[in-house]
Amino acid sequence: LEIENQGVVCVSPADAAAAGIVDGGRVKLTSRNGTTSGPVRIDKDLPNGLIFAPYHFSGLDIQGLLDDGCNRIGVQLAKA
């Protein structure tokens, strides 16, 4: 079990490579509701096409990307 002290965006190795993102770098996420950026962790256990980002870290502001009452949304992933 590993506990983070800040919000990180977890990305699959294939998605990270396609976007030119390296582990420990920064990523930009854009949805129809807004944009945010934060540190990235490459996670070999995450399926391609899916990211994971906790929404309870205010510094990462994932909630600003989401629709009200929803915890999933399509985003564009880019190197920050």
Side-chain angles (χ1 to χ4, degrees):
L1 178 64
E2 193 172 322
I3 299 174
E4 294 289 343
N5 62 358
Q6 67 175 348
V8 295
V9 179
C10 297
V11 179
S12 74
D15 291 338
I21 298 165
V22 296
D23 195 50
R26 292 190 61 83
V27 66
K28 179 174 137 180
L29 302 174
T30 303
S31 77
R32 64 178 170 248
N33 298 317
T35 299
T36 192
S37 63
V40 67
R41 176 186 298 139
I42 297 175
D43 185 341
K44 66 178 179 56
D45 296 321
L46 204 57
N48 298 344
L50 181 71
I51 65 159
F52 172 79
Y55 57 83
H56 57 276
F57 286 99
S58 61
L60 193 53
D61 192 28
I62 294 299
Q63 289 186 0
L65 301 178
L66 302 173
D67 293 326
D68 290 339
C70 182
N71 65 359
R72 289 186 248 176
I73 195 164
V75 297
Q76 291 181 329
L77 174 71
K79 186 176 180 179

